[in-house]
Amino acid sequence: MNYASDPIWWRLRKTIVRDLASLLTAPSPWLSSTELPVSTLLGDEGFRFLLSLDEEPNNLYLFLKQHGAYHTHLGVYAERLLYYWFLHAPHSRLIAHNLPVQDNQRTLGAFDFIVQLNNQIFHLELTCKYYGGLPEKTESFIGLNKADRLIDKMYKIEQQLALSTKPAAKSALKNLSLEPNQLQHASIIRGMLFKQPASQNLQVPLNPLCWQGQYIENWSEFEFQEHYRFHVLDHLSLISPVRVSSNAIVNFNQIKQIQQGMIALVQQHADGYWHEVERIMKTTKHS
């Protein structure tokens, strides 16, 4: 699935609002029985709220500035954006964020979010990951950091969602006037999967309908056309399809020097900006 072609990207212009929208609406890279439905996360008025944020984003910019320390870590940036959403979305009431669970002064973990959405109270865990591999081998999918493995993250999310079942969690929840059995547990899994162009479709438990890109170990594998233009993505520009100005565009001779990284293939639209149409994960050959 090419999530970059979703009509939502024709309406939203500000990068931080586009990133927030992607966290709310993007399909999960792998299938999970605990994934929170997009309709529950977005809410009935959510798209209108995103449009209003795109028109007046100053409060969101200020919030990110006040809750800093995200510039070096994509996961923290994503968490801050959802933190803002749960504080301000019309159907949401944030109960706790990053709530630690301790047992005899030993930290067992932390709840990413405890939030009421409409009339339901959720314990939510967020992850935002980018993996490339062979569609028929779930265990082959890894990140640019080869120690970052999809199967490990799948297991980690399950562990995080089970935190409220630990006896020590009862005390933390009691301080919020909650009992463990009041919580529903759900994941918010975002990111992309990358596969080689000629490979077969993704296999379960990977999500065949997730946002997908090209996985390339050698630039000779890439079917280049003369009119192609590109934008090199930094670590904080991965969450949503990019929309950039002409001075951020490079040609193929420039990007083929990249040994490892993320690159967006872009086309110019009527608004004068260059919009992502496909994404490439370039890595060195895995041993």
Side-chain angles (χ1 to χ4, degrees):
M1 174 181 175
N2 188 359
Y3 179 60
S5 64
D6 192 291
I8 194 173
W9 309 123
W10 291 92
R11 300 290 302 275
L12 301 175
R13 299 166 298 161
K14 303 296 190 299
T15 298
I16 55 172
V17 180
R18 290 165 68 92
D19 288 345
L20 175 56
S22 186
L23 291 173
L24 298 173
T25 67
S28 170
W30 62 88
L31 298 173
S32 164
S33 61
T34 59
E35 185 66 7
L36 185 70
V38 167
S39 58
T40 303
L41 185 57
L42 188 62
D44 293 341
E45 302 296 322
F47 187 62
R48 292 186 184 89
F49 184 44
L50 286 171
L51 289 175
S52 68
L53 273 179
D54 199 55
E55 291 295 326
E56 296 289 344
N58 288 342
N59 284 341
L60 179 53
Y61 281 120
L62 181 60
F63 181 86
L64 290 178
K65 184 177 180 179
Q66 290 173 337
H67 298 80
Y70 65 84
H71 296 91
T72 60
H73 199 292
L74 179 71
V76 176
Y77 173 51
E79 184 181 298
R80 295 289 192 272
L81 288 172
L82 277 187
Y83 185 15
Y84 180 90
W85 179 259
F86 292 136
L87 282 171
H88 295 92
H91 69 310
S92 169
R93 180 175 69 90
L94 182 65
I95 299 171
H97 167 237
N98 200 22
L99 177 69
V101 174
Q102 295 183 320
D103 183 16
N104 293 325
Q105 298 184 337
R106 181 171 67 94
T107 300
L108 302 179
F111 295 97
D112 278 359
F113 298 100
I114 298 177
V115 60
Q116 181 175 331
L117 299 174
N118 295 319
N119 296 318
Q120 297 176 304
I121 299 176
F122 291 92
H123 161 211
L124 299 176
E125 291 292 330
L126 167 69
T127 191
C128 197
K129 287 293 186 177
Y130 302 80
Y131 296 114
L134 302 173
E136 67 275 15
K137 295 182 179 179
T138 301
E139 66 275 11
S140 75
F141 278 80
I142 61 177
L144 292 175
N145 174 358
K146 296 179 182 180
D148 184 11
R149 305 194 307 160
L150 184 149
I151 56 173
D152 293 338
K153 178 52 67 173
M154 291 174 69
Y155 177 66
K156 181 69 178 296
I157 282 285
E158 291 178 1
Q159 283 187 312
Q160 290 171 308
L161 287 172
L163 184 61
S164 68
T165 65
K166 299 184 180 300
K170 189 169 185 178
S171 175
L173 293 172
K174 186 176 182 180
N175 292 333
L176 302 174
S177 300
L178 291 174
E179 294 292 334
N181 59 11
Q182 292 180 265
L183 301 182
Q184 298 191 47
H185 311 282
S187 58
I188 303 172
I189 303 170
R190 298 294 182 261
M192 293 184 68
L193 296 182
F194 298 82
K195 62 186 183 70
Q196 293 172 329
S199 60
Q200 65 183 18
N201 292 332
L202 297 173
Q203 305 296 307
V204 174
L206 306 179
N207 183 3
L209 300 179
C210 75
W211 186 12
Q212 298 174 34
Q214 288 195 47
Y215 173 62
I216 294 174
E217 293 180 342
N218 299 294
W219 282 116
S220 58
E221 303 166 7
F222 180 66
E223 297 183 5
F224 168 70
Q225 296 185 37
E226 190 63 34
H227 67 278
Y228 282 175
R229 293 296 179 268
F230 306 87
H231 172 72
V232 181
L233 299 162
D234 65 32
H235 69 288
L236 288 185
S237 59
L238 300 179
I239 295 177
S240 66
V242 296
R243 174 185 182 267
V244 292
S245 59
S246 296
N247 60 8
I249 301 307
V250 296
N251 60 35
F252 184 63
N253 286 331
Q254 293 168 295
I255 67 126
K256 70 180 182 181
Q257 308 302 318
I258 296 174
Q259 295 300 308
Q260 182 163 289
M262 298 282 192
I263 302 106
L265 173 62
V266 294
Q267 291 180 350
Q268 193 169 31
H269 285 190
D271 62 0
Y273 284 82
W274 294 76
H275 292 248
E276 178 176 341
V277 294
E278 190 167 8
R279 190 170 294 185
I280 300 160
M281 178 180 181
K282 172 63 175 71
T283 185
T284 54
K285 189 172 181 62
H286 294 153
S287 58

